[in-house]
Amino acid sequence: MRKGGKRKSTSQKQETEVKASSSSQENQKENHKLASQAKRAKTSKPQPQLEYFEDKRNLEDLWKAAFPVGTEWDQLDSVYQFNWNFSNLEEAFEEGGRLYGKKVYLFGCTEPQLVPYKGENKVICIPVVVAVVSPFPPSDKIGINSVQREAEEIVPMKQMKMDWVPYIPLENRDSQVDRLQSQMFILSCTQRRVALKQMKIDRLKKYEYCLPYFYQPLKEDELEQSTEVQIIFPAAQKPVFCEFDWELDELDEFTDQLIEADELDKDKKDAFKEFVKERVREAKKANRQAREARKKALEEMSEETKAAFENMRFYKFYPIPTPDTPDVSNVKAPFINRYYGKAHEVL
């Protein structure tokens, strides 16, 4: 009996040890599991917050794509320092807008104006976009003129690395350009700014004096009627800048007035008079040739082309006011340039 009781006692002890060992192993597993979960919790990266970007408008960069002709190179950055809003231009191409469904040629320009901004008046280079509604390009030429230049130049656009190119709206930029029937064309310039340092000063300045050229054969040009000539007479002290009207001004009297005003040296009187006479002869010849060219162009022009010129329309777009940009509402003007004259509508 004692032997049997001893075996039973030993057996119970072994069973207790096995249970304790098993319980210890389970505790270790549980602790390991909790430790692993804690480790994963510590090493897991925080989920990034979703950022929402406003969808770009289909024609949002149209105003930037149109090269600002005649703007000084060192002023370009100041033009783009503001996020100008041309939604009025974009809306004009939507259904019901002035330009909807029409073939349009657009070019940019800038107008330095004194405007209010953040409580003070500042001279700001304001971007402007001119839209020409026409079935064909209004011109393939550029005018180069300034007070400092003796003579006006009319040159092919490509000579100044400019041309009319299709504008592709954002939604179509994955398509092949040649397959798109574009109705919008912008005046583009491929001259790289990085190459300007190697450019001669005279060539560089030409870009600043450029004006989009337009000739309206159905209307007599103001230059054809003009009797004035710009005079830039070279002199040792300083050049003589003036305007001479061969119908209103008498040359001897005109010259004497310049001498009295100390604008011209007395010993240069005869040379100045010959200089003016030569400029007048050149101007009269240019006027005569312009009238003859216009007459010939009209004779050779088809009725379809005449109708196109008659129906051509110019629209001038200014940026609309926003809290982040200067208000240009009070400086809007219909005048485009000396070739295009005034816009039919200013927006």
Side-chain angles (χ1 to χ4, degrees):
M1 292 293 290
R2 288 179 182 173
K3 288 182 181 179
K6 188 176 181 180
R7 281 198 300 270
K8 184 178 179 182
S9 176
T10 303
S11 176
Q12 288 176 344
K13 183 179 180 182
Q14 288 175 344
E15 187 177 342
T16 303
E17 289 176 354
V18 169
K19 287 181 178 179
S21 175
S22 176
S23 176
S24 176
Q25 287 178 356
E26 288 178 5
N27 288 337
Q28 286 179 357
K29 287 181 180 179
E30 186 66 25
N31 291 338
H32 181 72
K33 184 179 178 182
L34 291 171
S36 298
Q37 289 177 349
K39 188 176 180 181
R40 282 197 299 270
K42 287 180 181 178
T43 57
S44 61
K45 296 180 180 179
Q47 293 296 320
Q49 292 185 347
L50 294 176
E51 293 186 54
Y52 295 93
F53 297 95
E54 189 177 340
D55 289 339
K56 286 192 174 182
R57 302 186 302 275
N58 197 31
L59 306 178
E60 187 172 346
D61 65 350
L62 176 57
W63 76 272
K64 288 184 179 179
F67 182 69
V69 185
T71 305
E72 296 180 14
W73 291 104
D74 58 2
Q75 293 295 312
L76 285 179
D77 291 336
S78 69
V79 175
Y80 303 123
Q81 68 176 315
F82 298 105
N83 187 25
W84 298 102
N85 188 320
F86 277 88
S87 56
N88 53 344
L89 173 62
E90 299 167 37
E91 290 166 2
F93 285 94
E94 296 175 359
E95 189 170 354
R98 292 168 177 80
L99 307 178
Y100 178 72
K102 299 175 181 177
K103 182 170 280 190
V104 182
Y105 295 82
L106 303 106
F107 62 85
C109 55
T110 52
E111 297 179 358
Q113 297 282 2
L114 186 67
V115 293
Y117 181 61
K118 290 187 176 180
E120 57 181 313
N121 290 330
K122 291 185 176 181
V123 176
I124 303 292
C125 212
I126 302 167
V128 177
V129 177
V130 175
V132 180
V133 177
S134 171
F136 46 76
S139 177
D140 61 353
K141 294 180 173 59
I142 285 286
I144 304 174
N145 200 3
S146 74
V147 176
Q148 291 82 7
R149 298 179 67 84
E150 289 187 12
E152 174 188 48
E153 287 184 79
I154 308 296
V155 302
M157 282 182 177
K158 292 184 178 180
Q159 186 174 314
M160 302 304 294
K161 295 190 176 182
M162 298 184 196
D163 203 359
W164 298 108
V165 300
Y167 171 78
I168 311 301
L170 289 173
E171 64 183 17
N172 297 330
R173 289 186 186 173
D174 291 333
S175 307
Q176 292 185 2
V177 176
D178 56 349
R179 293 185 179 180
L180 296 172
Q181 298 296 318
S182 181
Q183 291 286 94
M184 301 164 62
F185 296 84
I186 54 171
L187 186 55
S188 176
C189 179
T190 59
Q191 174 61 54
R192 295 182 304 154
R193 292 178 70 180
V194 294
L196 297 176
K197 293 180 181 178
Q198 286 77 39
M199 192 179 291
K200 293 181 178 179
I201 295 296
D202 185 59
R203 169 73 175 174
L204 182 65
K205 287 293 181 183
K206 278 188 176 183
Y207 280 96
E208 299 174 5
Y209 302 144
C210 282
L211 291 174
Y213 179 77
F214 177 72
Y215 177 66
Q216 172 56 280
L218 305 183
K219 180 182 176 184
E220 187 173 13
D221 194 288
E222 290 181 6
L223 297 177
E224 296 175 34
Q225 308 172 43
S226 176
T227 58
E228 288 185 351
V229 286
Q230 299 282 336
I231 303 297
I232 306 176
F233 180 69
Q237 296 285 345
K238 62 176 181 178
V240 178
F241 295 93
C242 58
E243 290 183 356
F244 179 79
D245 189 315
W246 66 75
E247 287 191 354
L248 301 179
D249 297 323
E250 199 281 317
L251 185 54
D252 278 319
E253 181 183 344
F254 185 84
T255 307
D256 289 339
Q257 288 176 353
L258 288 174
I259 294 172
E260 290 175 10
D262 290 329
E263 294 290 330
L264 177 69
D265 292 336
K266 191 173 182 178
D267 59 351
K268 295 289 184 181
K269 180 177 180 177
D270 292 338
F272 177 80
K273 288 169 63 177
E274 286 302 316
F275 185 87
V276 173
K277 288 177 182 178
E278 180 61 27
R279 290 291 174 271
V280 169
R281 282 192 291 269
E282 291 174 358
K284 287 182 176 180
K285 181 180 178 182
N287 287 4
R288 184 174 63 254
Q289 290 175 339
R291 284 192 292 269
E292 291 172 356
R294 187 171 62 84
K295 183 180 179 180
K296 183 180 179 182
L298 283 172
E299 291 172 352
E300 298 174 352
M301 189 178 295
S302 68
E303 291 302 317
E304 185 180 359
T305 304
K306 285 182 182 178
F309 273 110
E310 287 174 353
N311 297 321
M312 204 174 280
R313 290 292 178 269
F314 309 149
Y315 297 92
K316 189 177 181 185
F317 291 85
Y318 284 86
I320 65 172
T322 69
D324 301 323
T325 57
D327 186 354
V328 304
S329 304
N330 294 326
V331 295
K332 293 181 179 181
F335 184 75
I336 299 172
N337 66 33
R338 64 192 298 264
Y339 303 117
Y340 277 84
K342 294 181 179 180
H344 293 92
E345 192 171 354
V346 180
L347 301 121

